[in-house]
Amino acid sequence: MQLHKHDVVAKAASILDNYGIADLTMRRLARELDVTPGALYWHFASKQELLGAVADHVLAPACADQPAAGWRHRIEIVCRALRDALLSHTDGAELVSASVAAGRSEAMALILSQLGAAAVEAGMDPGQAALAARSIVYYVLGFTADEQSRLQWDAAGVDVPEPSPTENPSTRFAFGLQLLTYGIGAEIDAGARLR
Amino acid sequence: MQLHKHDVVAKAASILDNYGIADLTMRRLARELDVTPGALYWHFASKQELLGAVADHVLAPACADQPAAGWRHRIEIVCRALRDALLSHTDGAELVSASVAAGRSEAMALILSQLGAAAVEAGMDPGQAALAARSIVYYVLGFTADEQSRLQWDAAGVDVPEPSPTENPSTRFAFGLQLLTYGIGAEIDAGARLR
DNA sequence: ACCTGAACACCGTTCAAGT
DNA sequence: ACCTGAACACCGTTCAAGT
């Protein structure tokens, strides 16, 4: 049976979920697909390109059309969807961070444009809005990667103390995000006073 | 001549600067130190531990005592020092991000406490302040990793378009950081209104 | 067009044995 | 105490040759 990109990405995602990113190697992936490592290079130019495809697969659920709402709420919805998507796969945040840092991920470009559009609606000019969108993504990726690595230490029996154990991760996530949306509001107010 | 931790870290930093993080391998490091790979494992338990030490070396200049100033200015000073430290070594942001995500970096803990102290001075309670500090670090690491990877594509001849080419990276960095400091101010105001 | 076989040039880590 | 030698169990990538 012929190998298709989709099958390769799906199998890669299953290795990711069951064994983590360290075990997601070209040779192992080939073995589980009952194929020779070289076969993968007919479909993908490099491991980096393959990981990019897996990243887009992970991000797909966060790319669904968002319901109409005020800019602040839209940002919260996109960011929650992004975090949920990352958390739903082992090492999801690490994988996506690496793919975003390296070659561009199409899915992340879409998410950035959704966040940017919300910032424009809030009253920012396009340049500021693009930067605000990127800042938000840095926060979500950083927070979630951190959260996910703590989860893994936890599962391994090592318990690392949470900085503030009173609130759960979702509440803490929302609080940090609020800092950024408040900042966007304040930035616009400050800009308006100068005009 | 005997091998000391300090020499190992220094040579690792020089490989990093001259060839990048991909070439910073245990075998290569051993070769350049005229030593066998096994020798490194007498001084460091693992590659991860060694990279952590290199990360602390990179972060050292950002750990100098900061002059007294208002909280907002203190945050800006720490963050500029952090970005400068990361930019002063090839792949500095990537290295530090990985080390921070994995085992704890002592230097980063110090930076987090400096940022947290500033947020407390601004009027946050310690739990909120710790989270605000982490959010700021996520931003600095994300922004700088992005900036540094663009620099590398640039140096390689590929030119990737900047989202908003009018302003230089330092100005853009300051703008994104301002979003967070404005957010801290707004958060405190919002909290005060509830009391 | 799609894949195998086999090679190339590497990795991190361990550990008995040497000095 | 500190390091070598040698091995173990892997990597990503390429490419002539097969079907």
Side-chain angles (χ1 to χ4, degrees):
Chain A
M1 205 188 76
Q2 260 224 116
L3 201 58
H4 286 107
K5 275 188 161 184
H6 177 264
D7 310 318
V8 178
V9 171
K11 181 64 83 179
S14 98
I15 293 177
L16 190 69
D17 286 338
N18 294 310
Y19 305 96
I21 202 171
D23 285 353
L24 183 41
T25 68
M26 297 300 266
R27 297 183 102 104
R28 167 125 192 207
L29 180 54
R31 205 188 317 138
E32 300 216 356
L33 288 165
D34 288 313
V35 108
T36 272
L40 297 175
Y41 287 87
W42 179 260
H43 300 276
F44 298 91
S46 64
K47 182 178 183 180
Q48 199 174 114
E49 188 178 301
L50 192 150
L51 290 182
V54 179
D56 278 348
H57 175 84
V58 168
L59 290 174
C63 290
D65 283 320
Q66 303 300 332
W71 66 268
R72 188 167 243 127
H73 199 214
R74 287 230 309 282
I75 289 175
E76 287 165 3
I77 289 171
V78 171
C79 290
R80 197 175 331 158
L82 177 52
R83 170 166 169 266
D84 288 346
L86 299 175
L87 287 179
S88 72
H89 291 85
T90 309
D91 296 326
E94 199 182 323
L95 172 85
V96 168
S97 293
S99 298
V100 165
R104 202 82 348 229
S105 151
E106 278 185 50
M108 191 51 90
L110 204 151
I111 289 167
L112 281 167
S113 79
Q114 283 177 165
L115 293 171
V120 166
E121 194 191 294
M124 286 187 147
D125 70 55
Q128 290 179 323
L131 186 39
R134 277 176 48 197
S135 301
I136 291 170
V137 167
Y138 298 147
Y139 168 72
V140 178
L141 290 176
F143 183 96
T144 312
D146 207 339
E147 179 181 5
Q148 213 157 25
S149 91
R150 281 169 209 269
L151 280 172
Q152 257 133 253
W153 288 122
D154 231 47
V158 191
D159 67 347
V160 43
E162 284 251 13
S164 62
T166 37
E167 295 167 3
N168 68 12
S170 296
T171 308
R172 293 164 54 71
F173 177 73
F175 175 83
L177 184 56
Q178 191 177 234
L179 243 42
L180 283 157
T181 56
Y182 276 174
I184 291 172
E187 173 66 41
I188 290 160
D189 290 350
R193 272 198 299 281
L194 292 177
R195 269 175 245 121
Chain B
M1 204 187 76
Q2 260 224 119
L3 201 57
H4 287 107
K5 275 188 159 181
H6 177 264
D7 311 318
V8 178
V9 170
K11 182 64 83 179
S14 99
I15 294 177
L16 191 68
D17 285 338
N18 294 310
Y19 305 96
I21 202 171
D23 285 351
L24 183 41
T25 67
M26 297 300 268
R27 296 184 103 105
R28 167 127 192 205
L29 179 54
R31 205 187 317 138
E32 300 215 356
L33 287 165
D34 287 314
V35 108
T36 272
L40 298 176
Y41 288 86
W42 180 261
H43 299 277
F44 298 90
S46 64
K47 182 177 183 181
Q48 201 174 112
E49 188 178 302
L50 191 149
L51 290 182
V54 179
D56 278 347
H57 175 85
V58 168
L59 290 175
C63 290
D65 282 320
Q66 303 301 334
W71 66 269
R72 187 166 244 127
H73 199 213
R74 286 232 309 282
I75 289 176
E76 286 165 2
I77 289 171
V78 171
C79 290
R80 198 176 329 159
L82 177 52
R83 171 166 168 265
D84 288 346
L86 299 175
L87 287 179
S88 73
H89 292 86
T90 309
D91 296 325
E94 199 182 323
L95 172 85
V96 169
S97 293
S99 297
V100 165
R104 203 84 344 231
S105 151
E106 277 185 50
M108 191 50 90
L110 205 151
I111 288 166
L112 280 167
S113 78
Q114 283 177 165
L115 292 171
V120 166
E121 194 190 293
M124 287 187 145
D125 70 55
Q128 291 179 322
L131 187 38
R134 277 177 46 197
S135 301
I136 291 170
V137 167
Y138 298 148
Y139 167 73
V140 178
L141 290 176
F143 183 97
T144 312
D146 207 338
E147 179 181 6
Q148 214 158 23
S149 90
R150 281 169 210 270
L151 280 172
Q152 256 133 254
W153 288 123
D154 232 47
V158 191
D159 68 346
V160 43
E162 283 250 13
S164 62
T166 36
E167 295 167 4
N168 68 12
S170 296
T171 309
R172 293 164 55 70
F173 178 73
F175 175 84
L177 183 57
Q178 190 177 236
L179 243 42
L180 283 157
T181 56
Y182 277 174
I184 291 172
E187 173 67 41
I188 290 161
D189 291 348
R193 272 199 299 281
L194 294 175
R195 268 174 246 122

